[in-house]
Amino acid sequence: DARVTQTPRHKVTEMGQEVTMRCQPILGHNTVFWYRQTMMQGLELLAYFRNRAPLDDSGMPKDRFSAEMPDATLATLKIQPSEPRDSAVYFCASVQGAGNRGELFFGEGSRLTVL
Amino acid sequence: SQKIEQNSEALNIQEGKTATLTCNYTNYSPAYLQWYRQDPGRGPVFLLLIRENEKEKRKERLKVTFDTTLKQSLFHITASQPADSATYLCALGADGGSQGNLIFGKGTKLSVKP
C-alpha cells in the first residue's frame, strides 16, 4: 500500500532550535508539496518541487525556512531558528505526473510545537 | 487576492439526512476543484475531482456540483452515517504554470449524530 511517509510525527522544541522534517513521497511521484496547517490559516502551501527542482517557494519565510529534495525519495523542510509562531502541523504531499489534475496523496503530518 | 470560503466551520446533522457543504471562491478562475476528507490527527484524503466544464460528479453517496458562474461548489453526502464525521476541505486548482498547485479552504467539520 503506497503512502507518503513523514518523520517525525511529533516534535517539541525550544525557540531558536533547528528543526528538520523529512518526507518520503510515493515511489514514482515526481511532484512534492509542503503544506502547513493551523487553525487560523488552514492549509497553506509553503513550497513544491517537480522532478526535484523547486518550482515555487513563495509561501515560505525565506529567512528561516528552507526546502530541498536531495534525491527523488527524500524531501526535507528545515526551520532555523524556530519560533513559537512556527507551531503547526506540516504536511508533505505527492502526486504523479506533471501538471495533471490528479489527487494529492498526503502524509500523516509532522506536528511541531515550538516553546 | 484569491479567497476560498467554506460555508461554516461546523455542521451538525442527524444520521440518515443529507449533508450539504458549500465552497465559495472569489478572484480566481479554477480549472478544477477537489474535495478532501480529513480525520483528526491524519492527513487529508482525496474524495472527488470536478472539472470546470462539468456540472456534477457522483461517487457512491457523494455528489459534487460546480457552478463557475456562481463561483461555488456544493458537496453532498446522502444517507449520512456517523462514520462520515470528519472535516471536509475543498481545494481549487489551475492549469498552466501552477499545475498541481492547489489552494485549500479551511474546511467544514461535519458531525453526524446517531
Side-chain angles (χ1 to χ4, degrees):
Chain A
D1 189 22
R3 61 181 66 186
V4 175
T5 303
Q6 290 187 245
T7 58
R9 290 296 313 278
H10 302 276
K11 175 74 175 179
V12 180
T13 191
E14 293 191 347
M15 182 172 63
Q17 297 297 306
E18 177 179 302
V19 175
T20 298
M21 289 167 274
R22 293 176 173 81
C23 167
Q24 181 176 1
I26 292 174
L27 189 65
H29 285 192
N30 70 336
T31 306
V32 177
F33 301 83
W34 281 107
Y35 283 90
R36 174 171 64 185
Q37 187 175 42
T38 61
M39 289 293 292
M40 289 296 294
Q41 301 297 329
L43 265 173
E44 301 174 283
L45 179 68
L46 296 176
Y48 77 102
F49 297 79
R50 181 156 294 138
N51 298 321
R52 296 177 54 201
L55 283 194
D56 185 354
D57 61 1
S58 59
M60 204 164 64
K62 302 292 191 306
D63 57 338
R64 298 183 300 108
F65 284 60
S66 61
E68 296 179 344
M69 276 203 78
D71 61 62
T73 65
L74 177 65
T76 63
L77 180 66
K78 185 178 296 185
I79 308 174
Q80 166 65 20
S82 58
E83 297 181 1
R85 58 179 168 154
D86 301 328
S87 297
V89 182
Y90 292 80
F91 286 102
C92 175
S94 69
V95 65
Q96 164 131 32
N100 71 85
R101 299 171 175 185
E103 59 182 287
L104 296 191
F105 290 82
F106 283 83
E108 299 290 43
S110 293
R111 179 176 293 277
L112 173 66
T113 302
V114 183
L115 303 174
Chain B
S1 62
Q2 301 161 349
K3 190 174 180 181
I4 303 172
E5 285 188 352
Q6 296 194 237
N7 57 323
S8 59
E9 289 188 9
L11 180 64
N12 299 310
I13 65 167
Q14 206 67 31
E15 182 177 8
K17 301 293 185 183
T18 296
T20 298
L21 285 64
T22 305
C23 177
N24 295 295
Y25 60 92
T26 56
N27 299 324
Y28 200 64
S29 296
Y32 59 97
L33 186 147
Q34 298 182 355
W35 283 89
Y36 288 77
R37 169 182 173 143
Q38 186 174 22
D39 291 286
R42 309 295 297 274
V45 175
F46 172 83
L47 295 174
L48 280 169
L49 176 151
I50 187 165
R51 294 174 171 77
E52 59 182 335
N53 60 349
E54 297 176 316
K55 295 294 185 185
E56 182 180 298
K57 185 71 72 77
R58 291 175 185 261
K59 179 182 176 183
E60 298 174 349
R61 294 184 296 112
L62 308 181
K63 184 178 85 171
V64 173
T65 63
F66 193 10
D67 189 325
T68 55
T69 301
L70 292 179
K71 295 185 180 294
Q72 180 182 81
S73 175
L74 299 179
F75 177 80
H76 306 274
I77 305 175
T78 58
S80 60
Q81 305 166 0
D84 295 326
S85 298
T87 295
Y88 291 86
L89 306 169
C90 70
L92 304 181
D95 286 335
S98 59
Q99 290 170 335
N101 179 355
L102 291 177
I103 300 173
F104 283 84
K106 292 184 181 179
T108 296
K109 184 176 181 180
L110 174 67
S111 295
V112 181
K113 305 297 183 185

